[in-house]
Every structure is written in C-alpha cells, then in structure tokens.
Amino acid sequence: MPEFDSTRLDAEFSTYRAAMLPAITPDGPAAVRRTVRRRRRRAAVAVAAALVVAVAVPVAGQAGLRRDPGPPATAPPSDSPSPSPTPSPTPSVSSAPPAPDGRIERTELLAATVDLPTWSDLPERPDGKACASRGIRLSGDPVSDDPNLLVEMDYGDVDRDGATETVVLVRCQPGTRGPAQVVAFDRDTAGRIVTLGRVAATADPTPEWLIGLEVRADGVTRVAMADRAPGPGWPLEQSQRQWRGYRWDGSRFRQTEGPTGFGPNPYAADLSVSSSNLALAREPGDSFAGTIEVRVRNTSAGAVAEAVLSFDLPWQLRPVGDGWKRCRENMAVALAPYRCTLGKLAPHADIRLTLGFKRAQGTPLASGKATIELSGSGADGTTLLERERDDNLATFTHYYR
C-alpha cells in the first residue's frame, strides 16, 4: 500500500483557497438587517391572515342560518358544448279587460228583446207561416200564442273566454211540429244581450224534433234530438233519439261528437201513390172498359213489410185484366171495397201498375171521381206512420170517351 503524502495535500488546499476566496463576498451588517426585516413581515402577514379566518368563519356560519344559500359555484368551463340555460318564464300581465259575464237569468231573458238566427233556412211551420227572428220577445208560456217559446236553458263557458254564456232551446209555434233551434246568448262590454250563434236546429228530413240540451264543463253543448216529431198518431216513444255535441270554433258552432244522421225508423214510412184518369171506352154489348196507370213509391230508406192499396170506387166499376196479378187477392171474385195487397216494398221502391176496370151492361154510371189510398205496415203488423199523408191518397176522374 503506498504511503500517504501529507505535504502534497497541504499544497493542493492552499492552491484552492487562493483561487476561490476573491469570488466570495460575505454578508455585511446591512444585508443581515434586510433579511431580518423580510422575515418579520412574512410572520406578521401570516398572523393577520389567521386572525381574519378565525373571525370570518363564525360570521359566515351565522349568515348562512339567516338566509338561503347562494347559487352553487360555477363549474369550470368544459371543452364539450353545453346547452344554453333556459330563462325562467316571466308571467305576462294582460291589459285586456275580463270577458263580460254572459249569464242571463230566465226572467231577464224573457223581458228582453233579442234577435235569433234566421228561421228561413229551417223547415216551415205546419201552417206555412214564417217564424219571426228580429227584435222578438221569447215566451215562457207553452199554451200562449207567442210564436217563439223558450223551452229550456243552461249555462256554461261555450266560447272558452273564461266567462259564462247562456244557451237556450227555442221552438216556433208551440203545440205544433214547428221548427226549433238551440241558440247561445252572451253580453257585450256594455252589458247588452247579444246573440253568439246557433248551436243546432231541426232539419228536413231529420231531425224533426229537439228534445233538450246541456252544457258541459269543457264548453261542449250537447243537444238531444229525435228523427220524428210527436203529433197526432205519433208518440215520441216511437222516435229515434240521440245526443250530438257542438263546440264553438271562434266563428260558429260545429258538431264534434255524436252521430251525424238517423237510420231508418222501424215505425215510420214515406209512401206515395199517384194515378192517371180512367177513360171508359164502349165495348160490344153496351159495356165500357178502361185502364189507369198507378205509381207506388217507397221514398224512405227502410223497407215496408206490407203495402196495401185501397180503392174507393163506384160499385158499377169492377177490376178486370192481368194487371191485378200483383195483388195477393183474387180480384176476379173480390167484392167492393176493393183491396190490393202488394206485399213488401224495398227501400226506394218504385212500382208501376196498369189496372183495368169495366162497367157492366145495364149499370148506368155518370162521370165522376174515385180515390186510391196507400198504407204500409211493419213486420209486426203495426201500421207505419208518416210525416205527410197527403201523397198517400190519389184521386182520379172516370169519364166516357
């Protein structure tokens, strides 16, 4: 092992000190004072911050107990797009005045002068007279002669304006099969009664009768109606009935619920008969004979189980010829008054018959008139009733050529 040379090591350290000592400047008194002042300021700031935190925490806790917490901290922005916040709706304040109250009590309505939708487009009264519609007074007495009877009324917000309106059923010419209509009334801003519009009405051929009405909470006006009007020989129980709903669309009432028509009434028919005149021509042996053309029609949409022709003829005239073969009866041996049972008539059936008559020898007969009547019955034998029976009777003239 080589011997350690201490003399050489001392020489190396002397060389290092000579090179490094000139580059090192020791801190003087001024530098020391600056360092001390900087450290004291840092310590003071730290103490003050600690005091602020100690005071602020209890105060913030008490404030949180006295009021609702503020909005949550805003999240840092994200690189992905996010939907724009939707502003909360601000309630609008309308300056429009509220809609007038259209509730009209019965006594006030009967005392007022009102206008009705025109009756001109509705079926006429049986007496042919027109129904008044301008500047009229409604009647509440069903046995009076006043033409416009207030039958029924109800209330509801039919035009959806937030206020109540008055809906009435009016019938023209009480006690008859006169027309009827359901009308809605309201008030204007001055409180006057005004006509909003017609809800429903009778029509030709149906409905012939309006029974009643009601206004629902959703503004729909329901009208009860029947296909046939009650009258002599026709009870309302044999009429078909239905409810239809109507809603105001801003300009008029339109049907929104219920059926739009009636089917064939099993108790009703619409038959008609017509006849040409009977021209009697002389035959050998001082007898006279001739024919008539008879037309039988079922203009209703339902079938007639059995149709019958009844003849009111002078006893001197007897049925002859093949034209009577359609009849169930044997007309060659039949006795007056003559009946011809045609049987079933289909809906809208139209039958034409050529029927012969003969005046026998030695039976003088002056020219005159005779009649033919057409009637029908249902499958159960019930006589079918008709709206108009004038066309169920045909009159023809018999004369000599």
Side-chain angles (χ1 to χ4, degrees), residues 276-280 292 312-317 357 359 365-371 395-401:
S276 64
N277 291 324
L278 174 60
L280 296 170
I292 58 175
D312 185 7
L313 303 170
W315 65 270
Q316 295 92 337
L317 294 176
F357 293 92
R359 194 208 81 177
L365 174 66
S367 298
K369 293 184 180 297
T371 61
T395 300
F396 65 90
T397 300
H398 54 86
Y399 63 95
Y400 298 92
R401 288 183 179 178

Side-chain angles (χ1 to χ4, degrees), residues 303-372:
V304 176
E306 191 162 274
V308 177
L309 290 172
S310 300
F311 297 85
D312 185 7
L313 303 170
W315 65 270
Q316 295 92 337
L317 294 176
R318 288 189 53 84
V320 293
D322 293 339
W324 296 90
K325 288 184 177 180
R326 175 69 186 263
C327 307
R328 289 183 183 172
E329 297 82 358
N330 183 356
M331 302 304 294
V333 298
L335 301 176
Y338 303 111
R339 285 168 53 91
C340 172
T341 303
L342 299 174
K344 183 177 180 179
L345 294 182
H348 308 292
D350 190 339
I351 300 173
R352 298 174 188 268
L353 304 171
T354 301
L355 303 179
F357 293 92
K358 183 175 183 178
R359 194 208 81 177
Q361 297 179 11
T363 54
L365 174 66
S367 298
K369 293 184 180 297
T371 61
I372 307 173

Side-chain angles (χ1 to χ4, degrees), residues 101-292:
D101 184 7
R103 183 182 182 92
I104 309 165
E105 299 300 331
R106 179 182 177 87
T107 54
E108 181 184 1
L109 186 59
L110 292 176
T113 300
V114 298
D115 291 336
L116 296 176
T118 179
W119 296 95
S120 61
D121 57 342
L122 300 181
E124 290 186 353
R125 302 187 321 193
D127 57 10
K129 295 181 180 179
C131 301
S133 59
R134 293 292 179 266
I136 56 100
R137 294 278 294 273
L138 299 177
S139 171
D141 185 0
V143 297
S144 71
D145 293 331
D146 294 331
N148 292 294
L149 174 66
L150 175 58
V151 180
E152 188 176 344
M153 60 194 307
D154 199 4
Y155 303 96
D157 185 7
V158 298
D159 61 0
R160 313 307 292 162
D161 64 351
T164 299
E165 286 77 43
T166 302
V167 185
V168 302
L169 169 56
V170 181
R171 184 170 295 126
C172 179
Q173 186 69 6
T176 71
R177 291 188 292 110
Q181 57 180 322
V182 174
V183 182
F185 290 108
D186 203 351
R187 295 186 193 271
D188 60 15
T189 55
R192 294 183 295 260
I193 298 175
V194 294
T195 304
L196 182 62
R198 175 191 294 158
V199 180
T202 51
D204 187 10
T206 61
E208 285 187 350
W209 196 251
L210 301 185
I211 303 172
L213 67 97
E214 67 175 16
V215 182
R216 285 200 321 232
D218 61 357
V220 171
T221 300
R222 299 179 72 230
V223 181
M225 54 188 64
D227 61 339
R228 302 283 180 168
W234 184 271
L236 187 59
E237 289 74 16
Q238 291 184 344
S239 298
Q240 297 182 104
R241 308 183 213 185
Q242 58 186 222
W243 284 92
R244 299 181 187 180
Y246 299 84
R247 186 181 289 279
W248 179 255
D249 68 357
S251 60
R252 57 176 293 188
F253 285 93
R254 296 183 182 275
Q255 183 180 353
T256 57
E257 298 178 2
T260 58
F262 290 92
N265 189 308
Y267 300 101
D270 193 0
L271 304 176
S272 67
V273 61
S274 60
S275 174
S276 64
N277 291 324
L278 174 60
L280 296 170
R282 184 181 293 274
E283 291 184 336
D286 195 31
S287 62
F288 291 82
T291 59
I292 58 175

